[in-house]
């Protein structure tokens, strides 16, 4: 492998712009040599805007023609499995956007095929790489609040996500797969692996296909209990989109991440308060900034792991554990009983 990794990107839609900017920021390590979209106009426009030498309307053609060190898949989930398997058949490492796939079996298949082919596979699960959440992780890892006992992690917004991502309105399995994956992933990272899940879902906005609210209670293996709640139908002013808010209690203290990304940490009776807002990057803007910046952090992690031949934090294998929580949440919402995640 040359020191600068040669990358191809598939899917030049709404969110790919952030990936393209992030690859440009990582250009000391990565050379984006080709982009692809089945809508050729989008592929051509992305290539022109980001000075990418070649563009394609067909992923198989791109994989045949290019000698790639990895491929970045930024399409929506129905195409993930075929594109991941295509990359694996060329022995090309692959990073793929969330949600991993529409079904549990598809996720298993991708992990199996890549493992058997010896091909690194990472899911672009970026919320745990958001700068404020990286800091929350550091506080927990330092033991500042002691062993965790309880948590609440929430995402509640009425921001018009359908404008940029119209496909979300037609997803029958909607908020748990779109945002639930992120917030449940955070529950694993911040409070530990999960033993039992109880979930209720609601469909509040008329004229969408799936559930747009989910309230989930988790019992963690270490004894902690958490509540994870997500909503796309919350009328709140100011609307915190796209901030994840949380409170976590431990045996020595607590932490609270509140709107505006203010972090309040109490430890052994003493409290510190600080802002976790980071400056805008040249290509980021409010309100998306915290999400956009996490794309850069996520892609940097992928590159570091690929170069060091290390399994990424959010490898396909790891993401199965997050996806299993989504499946368990849907199962519980249907049965109205607690469900155990697949392991
Ligand atoms: P989009 O529909 O705007 O773009 C997807 C693009 O992929 C389209 O241009 C489409 O033509 C192309 N495409 C689809 N199948 C293809 C194939 N087989 N070959 C080549 N091109 C193909 O979607 P989006 O909003 O950009 O979302 C893409 C993914 O990113 C989704 O999975 C979404 O959930 C995810 N996303 C993640 C975050 C995050 O914070 N991690 C935020 C937004 C979106
Ligand atoms: O699709 C969602 C995601 O993954 O992060 C934010 C989002 O784009 C809209 O809520």
């Amino acid at each position: 492998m040359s020191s600068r990794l040669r990358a191809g990107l598939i899917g030049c839609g709404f969110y790919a712009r952030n990936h393209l900017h992030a690859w440009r920021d990582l250009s000391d390590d990565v050379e984006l040599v080709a982009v692809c979209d089945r809508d050729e106009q989008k592929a051509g426009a992305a290539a022109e805007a980001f000075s990418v030498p070649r563009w394609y309307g067909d992923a198989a053609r791109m994989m045949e023609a290019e000698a790639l060190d990895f491929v970045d898949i930024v399409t929506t989930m129905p195409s993930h499995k075929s594109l991941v398997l295509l990359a694996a058949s060329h022995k090309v490492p692959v990073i793929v956007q969330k949600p991993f796939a529409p079904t549990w079996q598809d996720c298993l298949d991708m992990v199996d095929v890549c493992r058997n082919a010896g091909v690194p596979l990472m899911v672009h699960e970026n919320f745990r790489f958001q700068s404020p959440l990286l800091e929350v992780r550091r506080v927990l890892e330092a033991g500042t609040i002691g062993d965790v006992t309880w948590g609440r992690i929430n995402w509640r917004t009425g921001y018009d996500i359908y404008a940029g991502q119209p496909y979300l309105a037609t997803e029958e399995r909607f908020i748990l797969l779109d945002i639930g994956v992120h917030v449940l992933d955070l529950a694993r990272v911040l409070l530990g692996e999960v033993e039992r899940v109880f979930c209720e879902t609601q469909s509040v906005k008329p004229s969408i296909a799936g559930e747009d609210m989910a309230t989930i209670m988790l019992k963690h293996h270490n004894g902690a209990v958490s509540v994870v709640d997500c909503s796309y139908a919350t009328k709140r002013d100011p609307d915190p989109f796209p901030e994840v808010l949380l409170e976590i209690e431990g045996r020595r203290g607590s932490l609270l991440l509140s709107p505006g990304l203010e972090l309040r940490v109490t430890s052994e009776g003493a409290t510190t308060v600080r802002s976790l807002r980071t400056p805008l990057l040249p290509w980021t803007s409010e309100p998306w900034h915290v999400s956009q910046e996490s794309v850069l952090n996520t892609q940097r992690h992928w590159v570091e792991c690929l170069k060091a031949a290390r399994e990424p934090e959010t490898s396909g294998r790891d993401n199965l554990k997050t996806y299993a929580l989504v499946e368990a949440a849907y199962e519980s919402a249907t049965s109205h009983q607690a469900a155990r995640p697949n392991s």
Side-chain angles (χ1 to χ4, degrees):
M1 225 180 252
S2 71
S3 60
R4 231 171 147 226
L5 302 171
R6 293 165 54 87
L9 177 146
I10 307 173
C12 303
F14 170 74
Y15 205 67
R17 209 169 170 76
N18 301 315
H19 290 231
L20 289 160
H21 276 293
W23 291 131
R24 186 144 80 183
D25 282 7
L26 294 168
S27 61
D28 281 352
D29 291 311
V30 174
E31 182 188 5
L32 188 59
V33 295
V35 292
C36 167
D37 198 295
R38 63 183 176 198
D39 176 339
E40 296 198 351
Q41 274 196 332
K42 286 191 189 173
E48 193 182 334
F50 288 86
S51 311
V52 180
R54 289 172 294 285
W55 59 267
Y56 298 83
D58 177 62
R61 239 174 358 98
M62 180 177 88
M63 299 301 294
E64 284 295 330
E66 301 288 341
L68 299 176
D69 293 317
F70 73 88
V71 66
D72 182 22
I73 299 175
V74 205
T75 61
T76 47
M77 65 176 169
S79 51
H80 288 176
K81 181 175 167 183
S82 61
L83 292 170
V84 166
L85 267 45
L86 174 70
S89 73
H90 286 267
K91 302 273 185 214
V92 171
V94 50
I95 173 166
V96 58
Q97 257 294 350
K98 52 59 67 175
F100 202 1
T103 70
W104 171 247
Q105 189 57 50
D106 286 346
C107 300
L108 288 179
D109 292 347
M110 286 186 276
V111 170
D112 278 354
V113 167
C114 287
R115 188 188 49 230
N116 294 338
V119 164
L121 168 64
M122 169 166 157
V123 176
H124 186 118
E125 176 41 76
N126 51 324
F127 275 33
R128 62 163 94 182
F129 293 106
Q130 288 180 9
S131 298
L133 296 167
L134 287 170
E135 184 53 26
V136 166
R137 290 170 67 182
R138 277 190 283 271
V139 170
L140 292 175
E141 278 156 23
T144 313
I145 69 163
D147 291 341
V148 293
T149 51
W150 186 88
R152 177 172 178 217
I153 311 177
N154 91 36
W155 167 282
R156 307 195 74 80
T157 182
Y159 183 85
D160 182 13
I161 40 118
Y162 309 100
Q165 297 169 264
Y167 54 89
L168 293 176
T170 57
E171 289 297 342
E172 281 174 13
R173 302 206 312 163
F174 172 28
I175 201 168
L176 280 169
L177 260 182
D178 183 59
I179 279 296
V181 282
H182 290 306
V183 193
L184 288 165
D185 189 69
L186 285 173
R188 286 182 52 223
V189 171
L190 302 178
L191 288 118
E193 298 299 348
V194 174
E195 186 183 316
R196 269 197 309 279
V197 174
F198 184 82
C199 174
E200 288 289 342
T201 57
Q202 294 160 274
S203 297
V204 176
K205 184 182 165 69
S207 77
I208 58 165
E211 84 289 353
D212 55 359
M213 283 195 193
T215 306
I216 310 153
M217 190 169 110
L218 305 168
K219 171 78 189 295
H220 298 261
H221 284 297
N222 56 14
V225 171
S226 65
V227 178
V228 163
D229 57 295
C230 357
S231 164
Y232 274 138
T234 295
K235 295 172 174 46
R236 193 175 278 191
D237 184 20
D239 190 312
F241 180 90
E243 293 171 1
V244 175
L245 306 176
L246 55 82
E247 48 196 304
I248 300 182
E249 296 177 5
R251 293 189 189 279
R252 299 178 57 210
S254 65
L255 64 80
L256 185 66
L257 185 61
S258 51
L261 300 175
E262 180 189 89
L263 180 68
R264 177 174 286 263
V265 180
T266 299
S267 177
E268 306 290 10
T271 299
T272 56
V273 183
R274 61 203 156 109
S275 170
L276 295 186
R277 274 178 187 275
T278 56
L280 290 176
L281 300 172
W283 52 272
T284 65
S285 55
E286 298 289 354
W288 283 89
H289 164 57
V290 70
S291 163
Q292 292 171 312
E293 189 193 38
S294 70
V295 171
L296 177 58
N297 295 343
T298 306
Q299 292 180 187
R300 186 185 292 114
H301 177 74
W302 163 248
V303 170
E304 284 168 2
C305 291
L306 203 54
K307 287 185 140 186
R310 198 171 71 229
E311 180 172 341
E313 265 191 37
T314 60
S315 64
R317 199 168 67 96
D318 176 85
N319 200 255
L320 289 179
K321 294 185 196 149
T322 295
Y323 201 96
L325 297 185
V326 172
E327 287 292 309
Y330 277 121
E331 185 189 326
S332 169
T334 305
S335 68
H336 303 290
Q337 307 285 323
R340 281 181 192 277
N342 289 331
S343 51

